[in-house]
Amino acid sequence: MPCLHSEALESAEPGSASPAASVAQQSVRERPTDPAVSWFFSPLWSPRTQRTTRRSGAGFEAWLDDHSDFTRTYFLRRASASRSDHSDLVMKARQRGTNSHMNISSSPDRLKPLTPNLGAPDRTGPCSPDVLGSHSPRSPRSSCMSFSPRRPLSPFCPYSQDVPHPPHLLHSIASKPATCVHCEGCPWMMDLLKGSLSSMGSVAELCHGAVLHTGDLLAAECGSLALVKKDCGGRRSLEEVISPTTLGSFSHGNSCTRAQMELLRGVMGRVLATESPMNLRDATEDQRFDADEDQSSNFKIRTLLSVPIKNHRGEVVGVLVMINKRSFRDGSVSVFTRADEKVLSTHMDMLGMVLDNVQLYESSRQEVKRSQALIEMAQVLSREHHSFEVLLIKMAATIMPFTKAQYCTIFIPGERTSVFADKVSFSRVIHLECEELGSTCQIYRRERDVKDIDPSHALRSLVTMETLNMSGSSEGSTKSLICCPVRNERSENVIAVCQLMNKRSRDSEETEAFNRYDERLLEDLAVYCGLALQYAQAVQITKERRASIEVTQEVLAYHITAAQQEIQTLQEATIPSAESLHILDFHFSDFGLPEDLTTQATIRMFLDLNLVQDFNIDYKSLCQWVLTVRRGYRNNVPYHNWSHALSTAQSMFAMLMATKHLQTTFSRLEILALMIATLNHDIDHRGVNNSYIERSQQPLAQLYGHSSLENHHYNMCLFILNNTGSQILKGLSAEDYKTLLHWIKRAILATDLTVYMERRKEFFSLTKKSRVNWKSEKHRELLRSMLMTASDLSAITKPWPEQKRIANLVAMEFFAQGDKEKEEFKIKPIDIMNRENSSRLPYMQVEYIDEICYPLYKALSRMFDTCSPLLSGCKKNRENWMQLAEKVEEQDSENSSSATVETHFKTEGATQTEE
């Protein structure tokens, strides 16, 4: 884009080609054909209609036809406006030949110092850390770029004439034309158009070149540039990129004073707020400027010209100010003209457009860098680490190259005690240093104590739980510092603080400040770090708890294992026969049986089923296992104790021994699984059911969720089988061992009456079939489950005295649970557990037999005739309970009649007394 000089605009005639057009035509001819050379002709700027062939004739006309939407409006508007405005100014200056100072309006609307929230908040864009706007690489961008509309002229002082330039002013301007390279095109602009984004350097370098070029073009002594920065609320503020810089051959010994800086901030802030240029023609007349204070500086601010920098969408992305146009040779003061303002605005149009694209380019590069950093961090966290400190070191080593930090320190907070709950401190630190080695860097860990590192900034970040950026700090060797808290995902607790110091510059050996992008990157990495630390802490806690469980199991194994003397006694004892122990009888009762005979009867079952011989079970291990299982049952539980376990195992043994068809249907491994399951199906029972455990939220319910007791019984069984000295299954192959444990677990879970009620309909249907396929694993598993339930409920089939005794034990256990529910949950228990219904025990037993027991034993007897004694015993006990229920009913009726007669006599006596 050419620089529009006043004389060139003045000589332009309607209908003739303007110098701008000639320059544009030349620039079109000189446009490189390689699209990679010039970003300006990239798809971001390409016209709506791309022609693949060129028409014959002048290249300028062809280019205008192809790009009419971009060029026509711009050149006509620029040429006409510049010609009319500037020619009038020149004519008035020639006629008057006077010189007077111009000043900004003295209206009450005085300039305000620059504030962080100038202008209305921009709600259309997200929170942007960049100083160039609010868009990011994720934002959709327009594919066509255009210049912003012509800006309004800056305000003039009402005290002065329209054009206060003497005749020698025109000579001065003519001697220093504002065009670049004899109107052949602005070299600075052409360099921007021809150069690629990657070769433009940083934003600061681009802005610095713009200040130097425009300052030389306008013959200004000093220039400054600031870019717009938006906070998370959309409020705009100016961030100084180029501080007041001496231009050309002008040199001043002192920098701007505080009052001068306030003046510059106020002017630039007003330009940002109004989004219009401002030409201050006499700074000494401004009331905010302290002339006395200004006399202490060699540098004087006389004139100012400030214009906004807008992108192609018309958004202000920065403000440029030019200070003190070069004075005339006779010592009179020169001022910035409208032509200067137009030239400066034209350059800032180009700069705003380039800055917009540079920002997009930089944002995309930053996002690529950010994604790479997050991917590398994720890869680090996905690996297994041997210790917590190793993980922290690898995380710090991943962060440092991306942020270019010289030092990285991770602070680990100490635990707060109840006495010092408000006091925060760090228990340890991990400190790393980065040393550059050519194009690579080497990271070292330095041993540092907490007291050797200043924790003040980290403590502040820990307390506020916010990122702290102390860039520009000159404390000791710290020139820039940033602290970021690493939070626990599940809570607001800060589990670490990551501190980076001294960001290395890529262009020099000096350090630079951490910017907003570094903050965002560190905050994103802190999220990953928080997850990693949380995972590492969870792993550490898991290891500690696993060690605690192992210690607990060791203690449990010691106390649950029978004494060696007891094991030796059982091992050396002569095991009675099954006939003498009556364990082949379905009516077996262990009531009154000595305790040592109960373990011997268990050994006899394994021997008579040939399990010891078939699976090569060590006899001593079998003795220890049986004794350990017996010790696993709680003696304070009325019914679900070792006696019930023995009775259940004996019922299974009796059915297996009496029914040869069962021994041929089941494999030897299945029979072993059934015997182990019956002995362990209620081990460590607590005297309450699953409903109470779930309602009271005991650990068992939290651990298993459903069938809590049955799952616990299986795990206790597995624990004893793996206990040293009780490993009766060590002779099995790995495959048989795995299959056996699966069958044991399924058998124990089948004793849950809820499971039985769900599956019994399928079994009843199976028993009615004439032919059953026992080769089917599904049918055999169903049969094993029903046999487990039949053995578990076999107390209902025992002789009446034994059945009545056991029923009272069950009622005692149930009523105890009902009492707990009343006291703890303030609820009324179900009838079978309500002590107030103790007189209704016979009725409840009859209902229990009819609904649960009788259908099962009837189905088994239909399938296996040898199991008919179980059905006969169940029927007899039902009759006995029914008779008892009738007696209770008669007794209740008599008691009710007696109560009625007694009430009648009392009522009659009371009536006679009254008479």
Side-chain angles (χ1 to χ4, degrees):
M1 189 59 58
C3 301
L4 302 179
H5 178 244
S6 58
E7 292 184 357
L9 293 175
E10 184 179 10
S11 61
E13 296 293 335
S16 63
S18 66
S22 63
V23 174
Q25 182 177 1
Q26 171 138 356
S27 64
V28 171
R29 296 194 196 101
E30 297 176 354
R31 185 182 68 182
T33 58
D34 187 0
V37 177
S38 174
W39 66 266
F40 189 84
F41 296 100
S42 66
L44 284 177
W45 183 80
S46 61
R48 298 171 185 171
T49 305
Q50 185 67 32
R51 306 284 180 90
T52 56
T53 60
R54 287 188 172 272
R55 297 174 301 189
S56 62
F60 178 70
E61 287 81 5
W63 190 88
L64 280 179
D65 291 339
D66 291 342
H67 303 82
S68 59
D69 59 338
F70 174 81
T71 58
R72 180 180 180 183
T73 304
Y74 174 78
F75 286 113
L76 289 177
R77 174 169 44 80
R78 285 295 185 184
S80 60
S82 300
R83 180 174 61 251
S84 59
D85 293 341
H86 192 67
S87 60
D88 293 340
L89 294 177
V90 173
M91 292 300 297
K92 291 180 181 179
R94 290 175 176 175
Q95 293 173 1
R96 293 173 183 170
T98 59
N99 183 19
S100 61
H101 295 292
M102 305 292 290
N103 190 13
I104 195 168
S105 174
S106 60
S107 61
D109 186 12
R110 299 173 59 185
L111 298 178
K112 304 295 183 181
L114 184 60
T115 56
N117 55 354
L118 284 171
D122 185 7
R123 304 295 183 184
T124 61
C127 172
S128 174
D130 304 315
V131 298
L132 300 180
S134 60
H135 48 268
S136 65
R138 304 185 190 90
S139 306
R141 298 296 306 274
S142 172
S143 62
C144 181
M145 300 170 62
S146 62
F147 290 102
S148 59
R150 181 167 59 93
R151 298 185 176 90
L153 297 179
S154 58
F156 287 91
C157 176
Y159 300 134
S160 61
Q161 301 295 329
D162 291 339
V163 181
H165 303 294
H168 61 265
L169 172 60
L170 298 178
H171 180 270
S172 176
I173 297 176
S175 64
K176 178 66 177 181
T179 53
C180 304
V181 195
H182 308 291
C183 296
E184 294 296 330
C186 175
W188 177 78
M189 288 188 180
M190 300 310 297
D191 288 341
L192 290 183
L193 298 180
K194 293 179 181 179
S196 61
L197 288 174
S198 59
S199 63
M200 289 183 180
S202 63
V203 173
E205 294 172 347
L206 183 63
C207 294
H208 187 263
V211 172
L212 292 179
H213 174 70
T214 55
D216 182 66
L217 190 63
L218 301 183
E221 296 183 6
C222 187
S224 179
L225 190 147
L227 296 179
V228 174
K229 178 179 181 180
K230 290 185 180 180
D231 60 11
C232 295
R235 293 182 297 271
R236 299 184 301 173
S237 62
L238 288 175
E239 184 175 66
E240 189 178 66
V241 177
I242 305 298
S243 59
T245 304
T246 302
L247 305 175
S249 60
F250 304 101
S251 177
H252 305 285
N254 299 328
S255 59
C256 293
T257 63
R258 184 182 63 83
Q260 293 171 341
M261 293 302 299
E262 289 295 328
L263 174 64
L264 294 179
R265 293 192 186 99
V267 170
M268 298 175 75
R270 187 58 180 273
V271 172
L272 173 63
T274 60
E275 300 186 358
S276 301
M278 178 169 290
N279 195 340
L280 187 64
R281 298 179 177 274
D282 192 352
T284 59
E285 297 296 330
D286 190 88
Q287 298 179 6
R288 298 167 307 142
F289 187 70
D290 190 349
D292 295 337
E293 184 178 354
D294 184 55
Q295 292 177 357
S296 62
S297 174
N298 295 332
F299 178 62
K300 309 293 183 180
I301 296 181
R302 300 185 301 275
T303 59
L304 290 174
L305 174 60
S306 181
V307 297
I309 305 172
K310 296 185 178 182
N311 58 21
H312 70 282
R313 294 184 302 276
E315 301 170 350
V316 177
V317 297
V319 176
L320 173 70
V321 61
M322 286 295 164
I323 308 170
N324 295 351
K325 184 162 184 172
R326 181 185 300 179
S327 301
F328 298 109
R329 295 178 181 178
D330 61 356
S332 59
V333 177
S334 178
V335 297
F336 294 104
T337 65
R338 293 183 184 273
D340 296 330
E341 181 180 326
K342 291 181 178 295
V343 170
L344 190 60
S345 298
T346 302
H347 282 75
M348 292 307 102
D349 280 336
M350 175 62 70
L351 179 62
M353 184 171 56
V354 174
L355 283 176
D356 211 30
N357 287 275
V358 169
Q359 180 208 8
L360 179 62
Y361 176 71
E362 282 296 320
S363 298
S364 63
R365 291 179 65 251
Q366 290 176 357
E367 287 300 321
V368 171
K369 180 180 176 181
R370 174 177 173 271
S371 300
Q372 182 182 357
L374 297 180
I375 290 174
E376 290 192 13
M377 181 63 73
Q379 291 176 348
V380 169
L381 304 182
S382 63
R383 303 186 186 99
E384 184 177 358
H385 304 285
H386 300 289
S387 67
F388 186 68
E389 290 193 357
V390 171
L391 175 61
L392 292 177
I393 293 173
K394 290 185 177 181
M395 290 187 335
T398 305
I399 294 174
M400 294 180 71
F402 288 99
T403 56
K404 297 185 179 299
Q406 184 178 0
Y407 305 104
C408 178
T409 308
I410 297 181
F411 296 84
I412 309 299
E415 296 183 0
R416 302 184 186 182
T417 62
S418 57
V419 180
F420 304 101
D422 298 334
K423 185 177 181 180
V424 293
S425 61
F426 298 109
S427 59
R428 53 177 172 160
V429 296
I430 296 177
H431 183 74
L432 282 80
E433 299 181 5
C434 182
E435 179 181 348
E436 290 189 355
L437 300 175
S439 60
T440 61
C441 59
Q442 185 68 35
I443 298 176
Y444 302 94
R445 182 185 179 186
R446 304 297 185 188
E447 294 296 335
R448 292 288 189 273
D449 193 15
V450 178
K451 60 184 180 181
D452 297 335
I453 298 179
D454 181 17
S456 58
H457 303 300
L459 284 173
R460 180 178 171 187
S461 181
L462 173 64
V463 173
T464 60
M465 291 190 293
E466 295 179 354
T467 302
L468 179 66
N469 194 338
M470 301 295 294
S471 300
S473 174
S474 59
E475 301 176 2
S477 59
T478 303
K479 298 183 179 179
S480 58
L481 180 145
I482 185 172
C483 288
C484 180
V486 180
R487 301 186 183 183
N488 189 340
E489 181 190 19
R490 298 181 180 178
S491 66
E492 292 296 326
N493 296 332
V494 177
I495 56 180
V497 176
C498 182
Q499 176 178 287
L500 303 177
M501 291 187 297
N502 294 358
K503 180 180 180 181
R504 303 185 309 276
S505 175
R506 63 179 181 179
D507 301 324
S508 63
E509 296 181 356
E510 297 182 356
T511 60
E512 60 183 28
F514 290 103
N515 54 30
R516 177 55 185 157
Y517 169 75
D518 296 323
E519 295 181 21
R520 290 180 57 196
L521 179 61
L522 186 57
E523 289 170 352
D524 292 340
L525 293 175
V527 175
Y528 281 75
C529 294
L531 294 175
L533 295 179
Q534 181 179 328
Y535 173 75
Q537 290 178 349
V539 170
Q540 184 66 24
I541 293 174
T542 302
K543 290 181 179 180
E544 294 175 357
R545 290 182 177 176
R546 184 180 293 114
S548 176
I549 291 174
E550 291 177 357
V551 172
T552 303
Q553 290 179 343
E554 182 183 358
V555 174
L556 176 61
Y558 172 78
H559 288 284
I560 203 175
T561 304
Q564 290 297 323
Q565 182 62 36
E566 191 177 8
I567 297 172
Q568 185 177 358
T569 300
L570 179 58
Q571 182 181 359
E572 296 174 354
T574 301
I575 306 300
S577 63
E579 291 77 7
S580 62
L581 293 171
H582 305 288
I583 56 177
L584 294 173
D585 190 357
F586 283 103
H587 296 157
F588 168 80
S589 174
D590 66 326
F591 182 71
L593 193 67
E595 194 175 51
D596 57 340
L597 287 181
T598 60
T599 55
Q600 293 178 16
T602 305
I603 298 294
R604 173 52 61 187
M605 297 178 196
F606 277 77
L607 292 174
D608 288 1
L609 288 172
N610 294 323
L611 299 177
V612 177
Q613 300 87 337
D614 292 345
F615 296 102
N616 195 23
I617 298 176
D618 181 70
Y619 188 73
K620 181 180 180 181
S621 299
L622 178 63
C623 294
Q624 179 176 329
W625 177 77
V626 172
L627 292 172
T628 303
V629 171
R630 186 187 70 180
R631 291 171 67 93
Y633 283 89
R634 302 190 180 192
N635 296 327
N636 61 340
V637 178
Y639 173 67
H640 292 95
N641 49 33
W642 166 248
S643 177
H644 170 63
L646 177 62
S647 177
T648 303
Q650 184 274 328
S651 297
M652 179 66 72
F653 172 75
M655 285 189 290
L656 291 173
M657 294 297 292
T659 310
K660 293 183 179 180
H661 186 65
L662 287 176
Q663 294 196 40
T664 57
T665 300
F666 293 137
S667 65
R668 304 301 299 165
L669 200 63
E670 287 176 288
I671 294 175
L672 177 61
L674 288 172
M675 292 306 300
I676 294 176
T678 52
L679 283 170
N680 292 270
H681 81 283
D682 274 333
I683 191 170
D684 196 40
H685 200 287
R686 283 86 188 285
V688 293
N689 60 9
N690 287 324
S691 176
Y692 177 85
I693 290 177
E694 293 173 4
R695 186 179 290 113
S696 58
Q697 298 182 353
Q698 294 186 13
L700 285 180
Q702 299 175 3
L703 185 60
Y704 303 113
H706 65 91
S707 299
S708 302
L709 282 172
E710 288 72 25
N711 279 286
H712 176 61
H713 301 329
Y714 167 73
N715 284 332
M716 285 295 298
C717 171
L718 187 62
F719 170 73
I720 295 176
L721 288 173
N722 293 327
N723 191 21
T724 303
S726 301
Q727 299 169 340
I728 62 175
L729 304 178
K730 61 182 179 180
L732 298 178
S733 64
E735 183 178 357
D736 288 344
Y737 180 78
K738 181 179 180 180
T739 304
L740 179 67
L741 292 184
H742 173 72
W743 286 341
I744 292 174
K745 182 175 183 179
R746 297 289 297 176
I748 293 178
L749 292 178
T751 59
D752 187 351
L753 286 181
T754 303
V755 177
Y756 160 70
M757 297 299 292
E758 293 174 354
R759 305 195 61 186
R760 70 173 187 171
K761 184 178 181 180
E762 181 183 0
F763 178 72
F764 294 162
S765 177
L766 185 65
T767 59
K768 295 178 181 179
K769 295 181 179 180
S770 58
R771 298 181 62 182
V772 180
N773 183 16
W774 294 118
K775 294 183 180 180
S776 170
E777 169 60 23
K778 179 180 179 181
H779 290 174
R780 292 206 317 275
E781 198 275 330
L782 182 61
L783 178 58
R784 291 195 302 267
S785 299
M786 294 299 115
L787 291 178
M788 286 294 300
T789 304
S791 301
D792 190 21
L793 306 179
S794 62
I796 201 67
T797 67
K798 302 298 181 182
W800 173 245
E802 180 69 10
Q803 155 63 194
K804 192 175 182 180
R805 183 184 68 87
I806 295 176
N808 289 329
L809 294 176
V810 174
M812 184 186 303
E813 188 174 303
F814 283 1
F815 291 157
Q817 176 178 332
D819 296 340
K820 292 180 180 179
E821 292 178 350
K822 286 181 180 179
E823 181 180 357
E824 296 176 10
F825 310 135
K826 309 301 180 184
I827 62 174
K828 183 180 180 180
I830 60 176
D831 292 343
I832 197 174
M833 295 185 178
N834 193 348
R835 192 179 297 274
E836 297 176 359
N837 295 329
S838 59
S839 60
R840 298 190 66 254
L841 180 60
Y843 293 100
M844 292 186 291
Q845 285 294 103
V846 172
E847 293 177 357
Y848 169 68
I849 293 173
D850 292 343
E851 296 178 5
I852 306 295
C853 305
Y854 183 79
L856 175 60
Y857 293 123
K858 182 180 179 180
L860 280 177
S861 299
R862 184 187 301 117
M863 183 171 287
F864 307 108
D865 294 338
T866 53
C867 295
S868 58
L870 296 174
L871 180 61
S872 300
C874 182
K875 287 182 179 180
K876 291 180 180 179
N877 286 326
R878 185 189 185 281
E879 294 174 359
N880 293 328
W881 284 115
M882 195 64 192
Q883 293 176 2
L884 188 58
E886 291 174 355
K887 291 181 180 180
V888 171
E889 184 178 359
E890 292 177 0
Q891 185 177 0
D892 291 343
S893 178
E894 292 176 359
N895 293 337
S896 177
S897 300
S898 300
T900 303
V901 172
E902 183 177 357
T903 303
H904 173 71
F905 286 149
K906 289 182 177 180
T907 304
E908 185 179 357
T911 304
Q912 293 176 357
T913 302
E914 291 177 0
E915 293 177 354

